[in-house]
Amino acid sequence: DTLEFLEHQMPELSIKYCGSRLECVVKQGKGKKKVQEQHQDSQKKMRKRQGKKKAQKCQESQEKMSKTLAEVLALLTDLLNAYNWGVSVKKLQEFLVTEEGFDLQKFSIAHGYKDTLEFLEHQMPELNIKYHGNRLNSVVNQHRAKQRETKEEQKNANQRIEVLELELRSYNLRFRGIPEELGELDLEKGFQKLIQDFLKVKHDFPEIEHIFRINSKYASQNKLPRDILVSFADKKWKDTILIKQRKKLLTFEGQQVQIFQDLPLSIIKKRKEFGNLTQVLQKRQIRYHWKIPFALEIFLIEGKKIITTVEQAELFVQELLAKDKYQCSGLEDTRNAFREEGGIRKGKEKKKRKKWMS
């Protein structure tokens, strides 16, 4: 019946039984209190959980805010590398908040900067910033800065390659002007005999690693003998030949043979840019020396001078020319003075002769 239903389905009820089951009195007082107590307990538990979650979130945010400057800069560089064409300061801040839970603006202000843009200007000066009226809309780009870094890296890599190539070619010499008829059957034997006669060595002859002729358009078009490239086993033979060449020219059948060091094409091009300076130095008989990988060392009376760029070379040429003008003007003044003194002396001598004759 109904009473049994209430007993099973609502056990929290208070029932006062009577003889007739229909006259039993049903109350909800004590059961309601239990329900309210249970509800209050559940609410307390929920509040505790929420409090713990909030505390965890605050702790996480504090940990994120306590990131070091190096970590923040690394995070920004990684993020900016993804945007080749740049990103606005506003989007940058929003992305860091949503993805990393890190407030860049608060971090910037905590480090004594007015806003994020000022932080980026001071901490990442290599960035390219396109400013707008609203500072948050300013676009930050790392693409050009990255290009500069890659250019510098490429330049350093090229210098290292040049040094290695120079080291490999340091045993080589190029000979120009030797006819093709020399040693067609055995070029090495013919060349050794030529060098032995030049150095006046009979028994001790230079050991050659390899020798061959170099094909070139200029030689084929002008019907000239191709250059001979010789690689010596010992570097001393290369040095002795170069020293000997300064005192005595190498000739073959009455014709002069030019001797060159085997240099990379990149260094030859650079040295050509210094042609004006080297000509001026040769005219004035000023000694100079090429340094590795690329620099011109000049030996002056007042000391050594090292030149590495074309701008420095042009300035030094102007200085030399200015000195020459000053010296020339000084010489002309002294010559004129001597002429005037000579004229006065001649006039006095003529007068003395006239008096003596009279």
Side-chain angles (χ1 to χ4, degrees), residues 272-288:
K272 278 183 180 178
E273 292 175 353
F274 282 56
N276 191 17
L277 175 58
T278 51
Q279 284 177 7
V280 171
L281 294 173
Q282 286 168 8
K283 282 181 183 177
R284 284 150 187 77
Q285 295 182 350
I286 298 170
R287 284 197 314 119
Y288 63 89

Side-chain angles (χ1 to χ4, degrees), residues 2 47 53 58 61 85 102 109 163 167 183 190 209-210 214 223 239 265 294 311:
T2 304
R47 282 170 193 166
K53 283 182 181 179
C58 289
S61 63
W85 302 107
F102 175 72
I109 293 164
V163 171
E167 190 63 33
E209 286 285 330
H210 55 260
I214 302 167
K223 295 180 180 179
D239 297 332
L265 188 63
F294 183 76
E311 291 78 14

Side-chain angles (χ1 to χ4, degrees), residues 18-33:
C18 293
S20 175
R21 289 177 68 85
L22 291 171
E23 291 177 359
C24 293
V25 180
V26 181
K27 290 183 181 179
Q28 201 179 11
K30 291 180 181 179
K32 193 173 184 182
K33 283 181 183 178

Side-chain angles (χ1 to χ4, degrees), residues 210-247:
H210 55 260
I211 179 170
F212 55 89
R213 288 191 181 268
I214 302 167
N215 294 318
S216 66
K217 286 183 180 179
Y218 182 81
S220 61
Q221 287 173 0
N222 295 285
K223 295 180 180 179
L224 295 170
R226 293 169 294 167
D227 292 356
I228 296 174
L229 182 72
V230 183
S231 181
F232 297 97
D234 194 350
K235 202 185 281 187
K236 73 171 186 179
W237 290 110
K238 173 195 166 183
D239 297 332
T240 50
I241 290 166
L242 289 172
I243 292 163
K244 184 77 173 177
Q245 187 207 11
R246 292 172 191 167
K247 299 174 183 177

